[in-house]
Amino acid sequence: LYQLSRLQISGDIEVNIAGKRHYTWDEVSAEIQKNLNRKRYLKIFVPQIILYPVAFIIEGVSRMLNIAPLLNRFKLVELLQRFWLLDCSRLYDSIGFKEEIGLETGIKETLSWYLENGWIKGE
């Protein structure tokens, strides 16, 4: 897993760029757990054959309730990938990019936005 940042280039083009460090799903989960003040979490393995119908149902229910789905078929494709790696070294070298937001800050800001906008509920 990699962290994306948005970069505006000459006002015309927006690109995604990743930080230099790659993170595992376990590292991301641990950071989320820490920021939600959870002592532990339960890791459940669900067969892929079940996940797509579940995502489809969640999309339908979310549409009826007029709320954003936390899981949909498109997000599922991303989540099921074992690796998402990105090498931006040529871009770093050409524009002198320096990562400003690390995983800890990125997770903290994202969770804060989710809480404020009612996508997740806090304790």
Side-chain angles (χ1 to χ4, degrees):
L1 180 70
Y2 57 88
Q3 181 189 349
L4 292 178
S5 301
R6 282 223 175 283
L7 177 66
Q8 190 87 21
I9 299 178
S10 71
D12 298 330
I13 301 171
E14 237 182 55
V15 297
N16 289 321
I17 185 169
K20 292 182 179 180
R21 166 107 157 65
H22 296 111
Y23 299 94
T24 66
W25 282 117
D26 286 337
E27 289 173 300
V28 172
S29 297
E31 193 62 39
I32 292 170
Q33 175 185 347
K34 182 179 93 180
N35 277 278
L36 289 176
N37 297 317
R38 300 285 200 261
K39 301 281 187 249
R40 57 194 162 124
Y41 64 95
L42 179 62
K43 189 187 251 187
I44 300 173
F45 293 95
V46 180
Q48 286 187 26
I49 197 164
I50 294 172
L51 290 174
Y52 283 99
V54 167
F56 184 76
I57 291 167
I58 290 173
E59 285 178 38
V61 170
S62 296
R63 202 170 306 125
M64 287 188 302
L65 297 174
N66 199 27
I67 59 173
L70 288 177
L71 177 67
N72 61 38
R73 290 168 289 167
F74 304 106
K75 183 56 72 180
L76 192 57
V77 170
E78 292 178 19
L79 293 173
L80 291 176
Q81 302 308 309
R82 185 154 183 227
F83 299 104
W84 283 96
L85 300 177
L86 184 61
D87 180 8
C88 297
S89 55
R90 286 179 45 203
L91 184 60
Y92 299 150
D93 295 342
S94 65
I95 66 169
F97 174 78
K98 290 185 177 47
E99 181 179 333
E100 294 177 9
I101 298 175
L103 179 68
E104 183 176 337
T105 302
I107 294 285
K108 189 176 198 171
E109 289 179 5
T110 300
L111 290 175
S112 176
W113 186 92
Y114 279 12
L115 287 164
E116 289 171 14
N117 289 279
W119 283 37
I120 59 174
K121 300 213 183 300
E123 291 186 74

